[in-house]
Amino acid sequence: MRDEEGYVRAIRGWGGFEILWSVLLGGFAAAWLHGSQLTWGSELVEPAPLPVREELEPKPVPLPVAPAFESHRLRRRGWLLRRALLVADLIALACAVVALDVLGASIALGNPAIWAFGAAVFCAWVLFAQGYGLYANDEIQAVRPTADDVPGVILLATLTTWLGVLALNGTGIGHPQLGLTTAFWLAAITLMLTFRAGARSVVRRRFVPRERTLIVGAGRVGSEIARRLGRRPEYGLEVIGFLDDDPLHDPLRSLEDGPPQLGATSRIEAVLRGYRVERVIFAFSRMPAREQIELFQRCMELGVQVDIVPRLYEVIGSRMQVHDVEGLPLVGLRAPRLSRSSWLLKRGLDVFVSVALLVLLAPLLVYAALRIKLESQGPALFRQERMGAEGRRFTIFKFRTMYADAEERKAELAHLNIHTEDGPRMFKIPNDPRITPFGHFLRRWSIDELPQLWNVLRGEMSLVGPRPLILAEDENVVGAGRERLRLTPGVTGLWQVLGRSDIPFREMITLDYLYVTNWSLWGDVKLLARTVPRVLQKSGAY
């Protein structure tokens, strides 16, 4: 009999077809999981301690090929992350069902048919998520932000929910109401993203040691990768050294100057096994292409994650399209321009968010202005001419954080500038003595940037975009770097998320170029979301 008030009508006797369907689906899911990268806990081992270099001398006897399951024994980080995400999804779906019951759906949780149907739905979700890459991508990428999961979670939650509705109606188990179905869909998406973020955070901080990483290629690019990974410990990658037949740097340099040179590429198997390396990054070694390909294949046979820095990496971003012509892969790059519709979408986001923030933060803005006026002489707002889109100059607004004579004292403090690289550089000093006490507080929490929302509202800036350079800095941007002027400068951007004041000038120009050539509205939303934790970390804010 049908329960008119219930969200699901549980029948007393479940048909043999439905039971068989559920069992088959569950068995297929178990086989899929067992045959995929979701393996068993007996395969997890602790990494060995780092050996001394004398232990890694090459042996005259060739090393045997590692068995297939060796990959899971090496890659502990991916093993734990996949299972943590699987558990997070299970808890999220269970909580969504509980929330549905609280909202008034009368679910017969004591009926075995309901539990069997729920198990089938979860197995279907796991199959879809595994096929979409919601589990495996965390092993490939050094750090995968939860924001990257949003499109996939929304798509698969929609597919799973409506397939579940069709199954409920088709089997006669129940007749879901549209309102409660929508509530379940929204709850599942929200809870999955929340629990996935929590699972990644817990695993990375408490359960997973740093992933031992080897760089093949000890040239400029390899050294730059090591420097960037060292600057971002949250990636969890520990560079143990370089392999290169013709290294650029001195093999006998001290460890303070960077990871050590561990020898030639012929020792790669000994190094991988001795150090229990989990990831190898190939960065422009001078080896012939055929020999590099053989190294790629050998590393993958040993179960090591292989990352390759592409040629012309300065112009290849996340929005590139890989296609092929008769089996030959080609990388398609987008022209660095916005269509009219894309510009309208970006401008609409800017206006909506800037107006909302100006209204919401109005009391804080007034308090900050009054506090600045009371603490030191000078205006509350700092105004400076900057270079905008298409070469148009504009006046940027910030809260004043320095004493009135800050510009006159700049020359005497030049030796404290953290940017010492050759060529153009920015002027950044940690604990700058020219900053007022309240100014330190404003900069630490990036509150001094909030008046730029007025620039955004006027159309001179965007919420996300290239860094707004002062005119003297803009004179040093030449060639392809001028493409950054195709978009309006932003309050935040790649430079803000990836390092803020710590990023050298040339690297910042490269990041701006990649942003312009790979722009998407969803990319802007993700950068806005990543800006919040970056501000809370307070790193590079000076």
Side-chain angles (χ1 to χ4, degrees):
M1 301 297 293
R2 191 169 109 178
D3 184 358
E4 296 292 340
E5 298 179 354
Y7 176 71
V8 174
R9 177 173 65 88
I11 58 176
R12 293 183 178 178
W14 224 31
F17 174 77
E18 288 83 4
I19 295 177
L20 179 61
W21 175 79
S22 179
V23 171
L24 288 176
L25 184 58
F28 180 63
W32 177 291
L33 298 181
H34 182 265
S36 69
Q37 297 184 28
L38 293 172
T39 53
W40 306 112
S42 58
E43 300 175 3
L44 182 63
V45 298
E46 293 295 327
L50 292 177
V52 295
R53 292 188 59 179
E54 288 73 9
E55 297 175 359
L56 295 175
E57 291 302 320
K59 306 293 184 182
V61 180
L63 294 169
V65 176
F69 65 83
E70 184 74 2
S71 60
H72 301 299
R73 300 175 68 86
L74 286 173
R75 286 144 71 174
R76 304 177 66 254
R77 178 174 173 270
W79 191 97
L80 288 172
L81 274 173
R82 289 193 302 272
R83 284 156 178 77
L85 293 175
L86 186 68
V87 172
D89 291 347
L90 175 60
I91 296 174
L93 288 174
C95 289
V97 172
V98 172
L100 206 62
D101 193 55
V102 171
L103 289 175
S106 179
I107 303 177
L109 295 178
N111 194 306
I114 301 301
W115 286 93
F117 181 80
V121 169
F122 180 68
C123 288
W125 165 263
V126 173
L127 290 175
F128 296 148
Q130 175 71 9
Y132 195 84
L134 289 181
Y135 299 124
N137 285 340
D138 277 80
E139 182 171 13
I140 299 173
Q141 297 177 232
V143 170
R144 179 178 173 83
T146 303
D148 288 350
D149 288 346
V150 173
V153 168
I154 293 177
L155 174 65
L156 297 185
T158 303
L159 176 63
T160 304
T161 299
W162 292 110
L163 284 179
V165 169
L166 292 176
L168 285 172
N169 282 282
T171 58
I173 298 176
H175 301 279
Q177 301 172 8
L178 179 60
L180 291 175
T181 300
T182 304
F184 172 81
W185 174 74
L186 291 173
I189 292 173
T190 304
L191 291 171
M192 275 190 183
L193 293 174
T194 301
F195 284 117
R196 279 177 159 259
R200 287 189 174 101
S201 178
V202 170
V203 168
R204 287 170 183 158
R205 294 184 181 183
R206 297 187 177 274
F207 295 105
V208 178
R210 293 173 65 80
E211 189 174 72
R212 293 175 180 175
T213 303
L214 175 69
I215 298 178
V216 177
R220 179 182 61 84
V221 177
S223 299
E224 179 65 15
I225 291 173
R227 184 186 67 82
R228 295 192 187 190
L229 292 178
R231 192 176 66 196
R232 301 296 296 273
E234 64 269 25
Y235 284 2
L237 302 184
E238 177 187 5
V239 179
I240 57 115
F242 298 92
L243 286 183
D244 202 329
D245 296 334
D246 187 15
L248 180 64
H249 54 66
D250 181 10
L252 300 179
R253 65 178 180 170
S254 63
L255 292 178
E256 288 74 15
D257 296 330
Q261 168 71 22
L262 299 177
T265 54
S266 60
R267 305 180 64 239
I268 190 166
E269 290 192 21
V271 172
L272 293 181
R273 295 179 184 276
Y275 283 88
R276 305 301 295 273
V277 172
E278 301 172 71
R279 183 180 295 264
V280 178
I281 300 176
F282 286 86
F284 295 176
S285 172
R286 298 183 184 181
M287 296 175 58
R290 182 176 297 276
E291 294 182 16
Q292 291 192 49
I293 293 174
E294 291 176 355
L295 278 182
F296 300 160
Q297 295 172 340
R298 184 56 179 156
C299 288
M300 289 187 286
E301 287 175 359
L302 292 171
V304 178
Q305 172 63 42
V306 174
D307 296 332
I308 303 173
V309 179
R311 300 286 179 180
L312 304 177
Y313 66 93
E314 297 92 341
V315 297
I316 296 178
S318 58
R319 294 274 292 172
M320 68 176 184
Q321 296 292 325
V322 180
H323 55 103
D324 71 274
V325 175
E326 297 295 326
L328 180 66
L330 300 177
V331 177
L333 303 180
R334 299 177 57 196
R337 65 176 65 94
L338 261 65
S339 64
R340 180 67 177 173
S341 59
S342 297
W343 184 88
L344 289 174
L345 286 172
K346 184 175 177 64
R347 183 59 186 156
L349 177 67
D350 288 342
V351 172
F352 176 78
V353 176
S354 60
V355 169
L357 289 178
L358 284 172
V359 172
L360 183 65
L361 300 176
L364 175 62
L365 298 175
V366 173
Y367 169 77
L370 292 175
R371 180 72 181 272
I372 293 170
K373 290 291 292 183
L374 293 174
E375 186 177 72
S376 61
Q377 295 181 348
L381 292 178
F382 170 77
R383 296 174 173 85
Q384 188 178 50
E385 194 172 29
R386 300 288 180 101
M387 182 59 68
E390 305 298 338
R392 294 188 296 269
R393 301 180 180 183
F394 71 98
T395 300
I396 196 172
F397 297 98
K398 291 186 176 184
F399 280 128
R400 181 175 59 84
T401 58
M402 292 186 172
Y403 293 104
D405 61 346
E407 192 64 28
E408 289 75 13
R409 299 175 59 190
K410 184 176 181 178
E412 67 183 68
L413 299 173
H415 64 286
L416 299 177
N417 187 5
I418 64 169
H419 295 293
T420 59
E421 66 273 8
D422 296 331
R425 68 187 71 168
M426 293 180 290
F427 191 83
K428 298 294 180 181
I429 301 176
N431 300 315
D432 195 326
R434 301 174 299 165
I435 300 178
T436 65
F438 187 60
H440 280 291
F441 171 80
L442 294 177
R443 290 196 174 199
R444 187 178 306 116
W445 297 101
S446 297
I447 299 175
D448 61 314
E449 310 281 353
L450 292 179
Q452 294 175 37
L453 293 173
W454 180 245
N455 291 113
V456 174
L457 199 57
R458 294 171 58 173
E460 299 164 334
M461 292 183 65
S462 177
L463 292 172
V464 184
R467 182 169 183 152
L469 297 181
I470 62 176
L471 302 184
E473 293 173 342
D474 179 73
E475 293 175 356
N476 296 308
V477 181
V478 295
R482 303 298 295 179
E483 297 290 344
R484 66 192 305 280
L485 298 180
R486 288 184 177 271
L487 292 182
T488 51
V491 179
T492 187
L494 274 175
W495 49 273
Q496 179 84 302
V497 169
L498 297 180
R500 306 180 75 174
S501 299
D502 294 331
I503 290 185
F505 184 81
R506 294 184 184 277
E507 184 179 338
M508 180 200 67
I509 298 301
T510 300
L511 291 175
D512 285 345
Y513 177 83
L514 290 175
Y515 169 78
V516 172
T517 55
N518 292 277
W519 181 87
S520 69
L521 185 66
W522 176 241
D524 276 7
V525 173
K526 289 198 296 183
L527 285 173
L528 286 172
R530 294 176 64 185
T531 298
V532 175
R534 191 65 182 175
V535 169
L536 296 178
Q537 290 173 4
K538 298 177 288 187
S539 58
Y542 41 79

